[in-house]
Amino acid sequence: MKRQKKGSEWTKEEELILRLYYDILPAREIAKMLGRTVASVRYKARRLGIAKKSPGKCPKYLKPILRCIKDNYINAEDK
């Protein structure tokens, strides 16, 4: 018997967002952004071979910019 899939398929856009933010934001924030569970975000990252790097790898000046983009993305979805 073939196992049924839970949830919806990941789009290329969602995968890109995951790749961009996984090392910068907590999984719970990415899950909220994408409307997915934290477990699904972590599982997909593992399947894509994405791992959190040691803290401080992302330049500090990029964090506020990426958070701003994230906030605008979430607000655009609410409209």
Side-chain angles (χ1 to χ4, degrees):
M1 179 191 292
K2 192 173 182 180
R3 186 176 149 214
Q4 287 189 334
K5 295 179 182 180
K6 292 184 180 180
S8 60
E9 295 291 319
W10 282 71
T11 65
K12 294 293 179 188
E13 180 185 50
E14 288 174 321
E15 288 181 12
L16 177 62
I17 290 168
L18 182 61
R19 288 178 190 279
L20 287 172
Y21 289 109
Y22 195 69
D23 195 38
I24 298 164
L25 297 175
R28 72 177 180 283
E29 285 190 40
I30 298 169
K32 183 178 176 184
M33 242 171 85
L34 299 176
R36 294 187 176 270
T37 65
V38 174
S40 69
V41 167
R42 289 182 177 147
Y43 179 74
K44 186 64 174 183
R46 190 169 47 249
R47 299 266 311 184
L48 293 173
I50 304 168
K52 294 225 180 240
K53 297 179 183 125
S54 50
K57 290 291 181 182
C58 176
K60 287 184 181 182
Y61 69 88
L62 277 181
K63 289 184 180 184
I65 295 168
L66 292 173
R67 285 187 189 273
C68 181
I69 293 169
K70 174 196 68 95
D71 292 341
N72 287 333
Y73 182 81
I74 290 173
N75 292 336
E77 293 290 318
D78 293 339
K79 292 181 181 178

